[in-house]
Amino acid sequence: MSLNIPGLVSLSVFFTLTLAIGIWASWKSKKEQQNRNPTEMAIVGGRNINVFIGLFTATATWVGGAYINGTAEIVYLPSKGLLWVQAPVGFALSLVIGGFFFVNPMRSKNYMTVMDPLQETYGNVMGSLLFIPPLLGEVFWFAAILASLGATMRVILNIGGSLAIIISAFTVIFYTLLGGLYSVAYTDVIQLVFITLSLWICIPFALVNSATASISYTATHQSYQDPWIGKIEKQYLGRWLDDFFYLVFGSISWQTYFQRVLSIASPGQARLISYLSGLGCFSMAIPSVLIGAIAASTDWNQTSYGLPSPLERGESAMILPLVLHYLCPAYISIAGLGAIAAAAMSSADSALLSAGSMFAHNIYRKILRKKATEAEVLWAMRTSMLVFGAGAASLAFYSSSIYDLWFLSGELVYTLVFPQLCCALFAPSTNTYGSAAGFLVGLLLRLLAGEPALSIPPVICYPACSLVNGTYTQLFPFKTFTVLLTLGTIIAVSYLAVILFQRNLLPRRWDVCNIVRESGTLISLQEMEKQTGLPAVALEENRD
């Protein structure tokens, strides 16, 4: 296949437009930076992002390349189908729950990152440990997005995937470095518009292609493959629920979410943005669902793609660009390519900004250089984004394992960070001892459960663990089980530590985490009872 010149030109125009908007937003942020904290401007936009921009950037953050490509792929796969498409509902519920429960506690103390309440409650050492899973998640996520975009360019434009990865990484890193959240938010607007218009323009052409059967018929009837509506077999129900809870609750504890709600002008508007972006995420999945259904209803032998089918060739992950390329006219598929590029960049810049923000604010300013000036913190943020971006671009060339590493990192955020965040916000009398114990329990339980995608065998075989093609698969909802055990460990160990020191069962000098207040009075058990629901023990307060 020859080089797709029109597609290359179209993509160049899109990249140039995105870069221009990012530079303009950077200029706008510098103009509004007068008499404002420059670091706060870069991380949370000076808490002055309006509702319109906030809605677009919150929605675009979740509607990324993996979201639109992954949704189409799952609908297309005969072993999955529509009933296994959990991300649209999961993300929507996550944003609603986040707005209802988490926005007010985070806004009331003017936090700047998701790590702030964790460091405030559990100290810098635990904050540093809890920083690792989301950092790895953001870097691997950025790399996975670039790898996916590179593979798409190779299919549609017939150019080297490496070139696409380098150009995309440079564009995203450049405008994010310049303008911080302002550049990311304003480019998200044009990117979301591109995604919406481009995909909806392509769908009618793919539907009426002569190689495509009626998707309403193939939803419930065998045609070229099993019905695309899919089914959930009884033995897989636990795994389905586990993945669903992971999407709902695991998505809350990411900096990319809180960066948006903390940047909106008022708490009321932040909650509104969270609710509306949930609706936006759900609606943005509809085009991808239709494209997956079209792919499952297509006789690929009637297209220039030919046989074997994408499933048999192991190219199901590329089903969305394949449908656009082989079932739509060339000038229409170019528009679809713009949608894929826009979706990739809308998530990539968010991941990069998130990682840089947490490092500069929570690690550099609060641990490494406590007396750092605002300018110094800003440069630390830019330097870290450059390092993380370059590292992610390098990892993108090893795409076969990047998605698996990102998924494992995301599960660690769910099992380790989410319970800690819940306790820090809603049970602040929990302490560093409980946090450390919860971290250790959660980490061990998740790693000992194994990871088939990375060829890590399980040490703990939960109920319904099955051996399929020589690989053990956990069908028990072990991720959610681990979250509940981590949560219980944090509360129980925190409560136990208070009892031990309050009764002087352990000497006060052993209290290396300083859960004793400066006055010498310990956190009252009655206060902990209110926050944890555990019964208080009637004790006399002992003093040294």
Side-chain angles (χ1 to χ4, degrees):
M1 186 175 68
S2 60
L3 181 64
N4 188 337
I5 299 298
L8 191 60
V9 171
S10 172
L11 200 64
S12 299
V13 170
F14 168 74
F15 273 81
T16 303
L17 179 61
T18 302
L19 189 59
I21 292 174
I23 294 172
W24 172 82
S26 171
W27 170 81
K28 180 179 174 64
S29 70
K30 286 180 172 59
K31 186 178 179 181
E32 296 187 7
Q33 190 172 304
Q34 297 176 356
N35 301 323
R36 290 190 181 183
N37 186 313
T39 307
E40 189 178 57
M41 283 293 295
I43 296 177
V44 290
R47 306 189 195 274
N48 196 36
I49 300 294
N50 61 51
V51 173
F52 176 79
I53 300 296
L55 176 60
F56 271 83
T57 188
T59 304
T61 298
W62 297 115
V63 182
Y67 185 83
I68 66 171
N69 282 303
T71 299
E73 178 190 2
I74 292 172
V75 174
Y76 168 69
L77 287 172
S79 60
K80 297 290 186 180
L82 180 61
L83 292 178
W84 283 88
V85 178
Q86 300 170 300
V89 178
F91 285 164
L93 285 176
S94 174
L95 289 162
V96 171
I97 292 172
F100 195 82
F101 292 103
F102 289 83
V103 168
N104 276 351
M106 293 291 289
R107 290 295 302 249
S108 64
K109 294 190 176 182
N110 287 326
Y111 291 135
M112 290 179 67
T113 73
V114 68
M115 302 304 299
D116 283 349
L118 300 176
Q119 283 187 312
E120 182 179 88
T121 307
Y122 304 127
N124 286 334
V125 174
M126 279 309 304
S128 301
L129 288 175
L130 293 169
F131 167 71
I132 296 173
L135 172 64
L136 294 177
E138 301 291 7
V139 172
F140 289 141
W141 180 227
F142 191 12
I145 292 168
L146 293 176
S148 175
L149 185 59
T152 302
M153 302 301 177
R154 188 169 59 250
V155 169
I156 295 185
L157 297 181
N158 196 31
I159 65 173
S162 301
L163 180 61
I165 289 172
I166 293 170
I167 294 173
S168 303
F170 171 79
T171 304
V172 169
I173 292 172
F174 186 73
Y175 72 70
T176 307
L177 281 176
L178 286 178
L181 183 65
Y182 257 77
S183 290
V184 171
Y186 278 90
T187 53
D188 279 344
V189 174
I190 189 66
Q191 288 160 358
L192 196 63
V193 170
F194 259 87
I195 297 168
T196 306
L197 295 180
S198 299
L199 290 182
W200 279 113
I201 287 172
C202 294
I203 285 172
F205 291 92
L207 279 171
V208 300
N209 190 287
S210 59
T212 304
S214 169
I215 63 172
S216 59
Y217 177 81
T218 57
T220 55
H221 295 81
Q222 178 85 26
S223 182
Y224 304 110
Q225 62 179 56
D226 291 340
W228 59 264
I229 198 73
K231 60 181 178 180
I232 304 172
E233 297 179 357
K234 185 178 180 180
Q235 66 266 33
Y236 291 105
L237 181 60
R239 181 177 175 182
W240 190 96
L241 290 172
D242 201 22
D243 290 343
F244 184 71
F245 288 135
Y246 163 56
L247 289 169
V248 173
F249 297 106
S251 302
I252 293 174
S253 48
W254 288 88
Q255 169 65 7
T256 48
Y257 168 66
F258 285 108
Q259 199 144 26
R260 270 69 192 163
V261 297
L262 293 174
S263 68
I264 308 301
S266 71
Q269 290 179 352
R271 289 195 302 272
L272 178 64
I273 289 302
S274 198
Y275 302 146
L276 293 179
S277 60
L279 180 62
C281 282
F282 181 82
S283 62
M284 289 297 294
I286 296 174
S288 293
V289 169
L290 292 175
I291 289 173
I294 291 168
S297 309
T298 296
D299 179 4
W300 290 95
N301 195 35
Q302 295 185 39
T303 69
S304 57
Y305 184 84
L307 293 178
S309 68
L311 177 66
E312 293 167 328
R313 296 189 196 185
E315 295 183 349
S316 56
M318 301 294 298
I319 200 63
L320 189 142
L322 289 174
V323 166
L324 300 181
H325 186 59
Y326 290 100
L327 299 181
C328 298
Y331 62 92
I332 295 297
S333 67
I334 292 172
L337 178 62
I340 297 170
M345 295 177 71
S346 69
S347 293
D349 54 14
S350 299
L352 183 64
L353 180 64
S354 172
S357 300
M358 288 189 293
F359 175 80
H361 179 68
N362 297 104
I363 303 300
Y364 189 81
R365 184 207 296 269
K366 293 189 174 182
I367 299 176
L368 300 180
R369 285 274 295 168
K370 294 183 179 181
K371 296 182 179 180
T373 63
E374 293 299 327
E376 189 178 343
V377 174
L378 196 59
W379 276 106
M381 178 179 170
R382 289 170 176 165
T383 303
S384 65
M385 285 194 292
L386 186 61
V387 172
F388 296 150
S394 301
L395 288 171
F397 297 110
Y398 304 95
S399 58
S400 59
S401 59
I402 290 301
Y403 271 105
D404 300 328
L405 289 170
W406 167 74
F407 205 79
L408 179 59
S409 300
E411 290 182 359
L412 289 177
V413 172
Y414 176 43
T415 55
L416 299 180
V417 180
F418 177 69
Q420 305 268 0
L421 180 65
C422 289
C423 289
L425 292 178
F426 305 114
S429 288
T430 52
N431 52 53
T432 310
Y433 299 109
S435 175
F439 182 90
L440 183 61
V441 168
L443 181 63
L444 286 176
L445 287 178
R446 177 58 195 92
L447 294 181
L448 293 178
E451 179 53 55
L454 295 173
S455 300
I456 301 175
V459 176
I460 300 175
C461 285
Y462 291 94
C465 180
S466 60
L467 183 64
V468 180
N469 297 325
T471 303
Y472 282 96
T473 302
Q474 304 276 13
L475 301 181
F476 181 79
F478 71 95
K479 293 190 287 287
T480 303
F481 177 72
T482 301
V483 168
L484 295 176
L485 278 183
T486 302
L487 191 66
T489 300
I490 296 170
I491 294 172
V493 173
S494 296
Y495 189 75
L496 178 63
V498 170
I499 292 176
L500 291 175
F501 285 115
Q502 192 161 17
R503 279 184 150 178
N504 278 338
L505 296 175
L506 291 177
R508 293 283 181 89
R509 65 178 180 274
W510 288 11
D511 181 19
V512 294
C513 295
N514 294 319
I515 65 170
V516 181
R517 292 177 177 172
E518 291 182 1
S519 63
T521 304
L522 285 157
I523 299 170
S524 72
L525 294 177
Q526 286 74 20
E527 182 181 349
M528 176 165 280
E529 177 192 8
K530 291 179 182 178
Q531 295 169 353
T532 63
L534 296 174
V537 181
L539 301 170
E540 290 186 5
E541 184 176 345
N542 294 300
R543 301 179 184 274
D544 290 329

